[in-house]
Amino acid sequence: MRDENEVLDGLMQPRPLTIAHILERAERLYAHKEVVTADAERRTYADVTGGARRLAGALDALGVPIGARVATFASNNRRHLELYLGVPATKRVLHSLNIRLSPEHLEYIVGHAGDDVVFVDRGLLPRIWPSAARLPGVRHWVVLPDGTDTEIPADPRVRDYDELLDGAEPHTGSFEDAFTLADENLASGLCYTSGTTGRPKGVLYSHRSTVLHCLGTLAAGLIGLRESDVVMPIVPMFHANAWGLPYGAMMAGAALVLPGASAEPDHLLRLMAAERVTVAGAVPTVWTSMAPTLRDHDLSATRFLLGGGSAVPAALSETFRAATGVPITHSWGMTEVSPVGVIGGTRTQHRDATPAEQVAVRAAQGQPLPLVNVRIVDVETGRELPRDGTAIGELQVSGPWVAGGYFRVDTPESFTADGWLRTGDLATIDAHGYLRLVDRMKDLIKSGGEWISSVELEAAIAAHPAVAEVAVIGRPDPRWMERPVAYVVLHPGTTATADELTRHLGPMVAKWWLPDEFVFMATLPKTGTGKLSKTELREAVRIA
Ligand code: ADP
């Protein structure tokens, strides 16, 4: 008998999605796989998961409650990875702190998060310990040995990580079994956005969102991590969970290479060559710093390079393709999106495209990951705009690993009535769902009633061989409202004049896009996550 109105529930097991599973999977299947930290420390997943089990016992012994925020102030290293596992697997919340924050922001964030414990790399103590007196809520400071001999404060709240773990009773039995289905929504991680406008805001990830993001990025054809990979997150572990690469690598059983505290380009390249790294991820400023000496290293093992956090200029990606055979795959994301939302590269529809067209496709941010939806809307009316590759609107995004609110603040302006996240980015979307980011709303230059994309102009200037870094910002102009000014850093030992750069741009952009001025700089200011900071640049050159 068929009942037309019968609604059936599926009969599949109601199992929670948890980081505890990632831990136990690595322990069971990939115990032998390597985790290498820059200072030639070679460990295995068995060591790391064993460390996480002792850490679980240590957190219990310290009386750190379930749900408490456990902060890290650490570089990419093995002990940090143990915290990535042991903290959420015991239903505590991993709060990775940006090690480049100003004391003021750091104190605000630790206080706002209500951190109970801070785990800090020994060499980074001088950056955070001076704030300890203003952080009365932090009950314990645990120092992670990192090969440095930085002085450790004589204070009863301070202890050594290795001693703490050596003395701890390791957690035995399954972490995963302690999670109910409802527990998959428990908070697992906390990251604050850099707060370029207003106060930093906390994005509170759940076990479920983290596991789904991990699976989304593991999907073949996207980042597609596999067991045979050697994955090097150059992107810091405090930058939106290193874009999910550590959890992804563990889930896939790939080996991990963690570059430690140094972001020095030759150190990174030597490590990539020595460990035969197959997949690496970094922001464009870091890729840019590596570009001049790429050919001095054997990068023949490389199969996938990931770039995001700000636009990857086509010229930069092509430099890598020429030297290694692998372009930089472009990805768009934000802390609020766990962070990967969109991923680039060519698809079958681009097979017949000319090489130049393919370069242009790779410069686009790409298509949304499975389960992520994107749309563009008219900034004034909120009406959705067509996916025709030309209409420009505010990018909005929804999905199970997209923030639906911020930690302990109400910001209705960040979300639409139907629950989508307003990104503050301007983009076009074409008929294939390819997203091309035009600019951040606040960086777009308005000249004589027309828009100039600072991102596009920067990519065009960066294509000049002498240009190492460039930032374009709008300068107030009595006639045109704003005019573009380019701030340029040249590669050492090269020269280029403003006239030469203007001639170089000539065939690439409309005449009225040509910058009014090129200002040559020794360096450009960077944000805590290593991106060019236009806010600081504006302050430095006094353009409000
Ligand atoms: P912050 O705003 O502090 O830099 P995020 O790291 O979360 O914090 O940055 C998110 C923003 O970075 C996005 O909203 C977008 O403006 C920019 N962004 C990220 N990826 C890209 C990309 N591939 N191309 C251009 N811009 C990007």
Side-chain angles (χ1 to χ4, degrees):
M1 274 276 283
R2 198 162 139 240
D3 177 352
E4 292 294 337
N5 298 319
E6 193 178 14
V7 177
L8 290 178
D9 281 336
L11 288 172
M12 309 313 283
Q13 297 181 7
R15 288 292 184 149
L17 308 177
T18 69
I19 293 169
H21 178 79
I22 301 180
L23 188 165
E24 285 168 33
R25 179 178 167 81
E27 192 169 51
R28 251 180 248 127
L29 308 186
Y30 308 121
H32 60 292
K33 297 297 297 278
E34 271 195 320
V35 177
V36 180
T37 303
D39 54 9
E41 186 203 68
R42 307 193 83 83
R43 294 293 161 98
T44 61
Y45 280 134
D47 296 323
V48 170
T49 55
R53 285 187 175 280
R54 284 194 302 282
L55 173 66
L59 291 171
D60 289 345
L62 290 176
V64 179
I66 301 303
R69 268 72 66 211
V70 174
T72 59
F73 193 78
S75 67
N76 292 13
N77 63 59
R78 182 258 307 173
R79 292 177 182 83
H80 203 172
L81 193 64
E82 293 174 0
L83 286 148
Y84 256 52
L85 294 173
V87 172
T90 55
K91 302 186 184 175
R92 296 167 175 109
V93 182
L94 182 86
H95 176 199
S96 46
L97 288 163
N98 186 329
I99 62 174
R100 300 194 197 100
L101 287 170
S102 65
E104 187 201 348
H105 272 161
L106 191 60
E107 289 161 24
Y108 169 78
I109 289 173
V110 172
H112 186 267
D115 293 329
D116 192 35
V117 195
V118 177
F119 287 77
V120 46
D121 277 0
R122 184 167 178 175
L124 295 175
L125 271 167
R127 291 198 205 171
I128 194 169
W129 184 250
S131 293
R134 284 181 293 283
L135 298 171
V138 179
R139 293 188 303 128
H140 306 284
W141 293 83
V142 184
V143 178
L144 309 174
D146 61 359
T148 65
D149 55 8
T150 306
E151 195 186 324
I152 296 178
D155 186 294
R157 291 168 297 172
V158 178
R159 49 192 89 223
D160 175 83
Y161 180 84
D162 287 357
E163 284 170 17
L164 183 68
L165 263 60
D166 284 346
E169 194 64 46
H171 182 95
T172 53
S174 171
F175 291 106
E176 196 180 354
D177 288 354
F179 281 78
T180 65
L181 182 61
D183 288 347
E184 70 173 13
N185 287 309
L186 289 177
S188 62
L190 177 62
C191 277
Y192 279 72
T193 58
S194 69
T196 38
T197 52
R199 289 282 203 186
K201 295 194 288 284
V203 179
L204 195 58
Y205 306 116
S206 67
H207 281 266
R208 176 186 159 81
S209 72
T210 306
V211 169
L212 289 173
H213 175 260
C214 190
L215 288 173
T217 57
L218 284 187
L222 301 171
I223 300 177
L225 298 180
R226 44 182 100 134
E227 191 270 344
S228 54
D229 276 323
V230 179
V231 179
M232 181 156 130
I234 299 171
V235 47
M237 286 169 77
F238 60 73
H239 188 185
N241 290 326
W243 301 347
L245 291 172
Y247 287 135
M250 272 185 279
M251 203 178 234
L256 263 174
V257 178
L258 302 172
S262 166
E264 203 262 317
D266 275 318
H267 159 71
L268 298 173
L269 286 164
R270 268 198 307 273
L271 199 56
M272 283 179 77
E275 298 299 331
R276 311 248 347 120
V277 166
T278 62
V279 177
V283 294
T285 48
V286 172
W287 290 131
T288 301
S289 73
M290 292 159 80
T293 49
L294 271 183
R295 289 180 191 273
D296 301 346
H297 301 269
D298 172 10
L299 301 180
S300 55
T302 310
R303 79 162 184 86
F304 192 94
L305 300 173
L306 185 66
S310 52
V312 179
L316 179 65
S317 178
E318 285 307 291
T319 301
F320 274 79
R321 197 164 70 92
T324 69
V326 180
I328 299 174
T329 296
H330 205 167
S331 172
W332 172 92
M334 53 197 301
T335 305
E336 289 85 338
V337 187
S338 294
V340 184
V342 169
I343 194 145
T346 52
R347 310 282 191 261
T348 51
Q349 71 259 25
H350 306 118
R351 240 184 226 151
D352 298 330
T354 64
E357 286 165 349
Q358 298 211 1
V359 169
V361 171
R362 286 196 293 269
Q365 280 69 15
Q367 291 176 312
L369 264 57
L371 307 182
V372 172
N373 287 319
V374 294
R375 67 184 182 197
I376 47 169
V377 305
D378 185 295
V379 177
E380 254 119 60
T381 64
R383 208 168 30 86
E384 188 168 349
L385 294 171
R387 293 162 185 259
D388 58 8
T390 53
I392 297 174
E394 184 186 13
L395 176 65
Q396 300 186 342
V397 52
S398 74
W401 58 79
V402 179
Y406 291 100
F407 185 47
R408 290 181 171 164
V409 282
D410 200 18
T411 57
E413 68 281 7
S414 307
F415 303 93
T416 64
D418 56 349
W420 290 52
L421 174 75
R422 301 182 55 196
T423 66
D425 287 340
L426 292 168
T428 62
I429 299 178
D430 75 9
H432 289 293
Y434 257 73
L435 182 130
R436 190 177 290 272
L437 200 115
V438 175
D439 218 331
R440 290 190 183 210
M441 271 152 73
K442 59 184 191 316
D443 291 340
L444 198 70
I445 299 161
K446 196 168 192 191
S447 174
E450 300 283 348
W451 298 111
I452 298 175
S453 158
S454 66
V455 170
E456 223 175 291
L457 207 44
E458 285 159 7
I461 297 170
H464 190 284
V467 174
E469 281 179 353
V470 52
V472 173
I473 55 182
R475 179 163 66 192
D477 183 278
R479 176 151 179 223
W480 303 107
M481 203 159 140
E482 276 187 333
R483 288 295 301 151
V485 177
Y487 294 84
V488 179
V489 179
L490 297 179
H491 285 298
T494 63
T495 52
T497 61
D499 281 351
E500 200 178 326
L501 292 178
T502 306
R503 273 199 304 279
H504 155 82
L505 281 179
M508 289 190 271
V509 301
K511 197 151 173 273
W512 53 277
W513 276 43
L514 294 173
D516 275 12
E517 198 185 339
F518 287 88
V519 182
F520 294 93
M521 314 272 284
T523 55
L524 288 171
K526 310 277 172 10
T527 68
T529 49
K531 306 196 230 176
L532 289 179
S533 171
K534 292 195 185 174
T535 312
E536 265 181 68
L537 180 61
R538 280 192 194 97
E539 275 164 21
V541 299
R542 294 189 198 291
I543 295 180

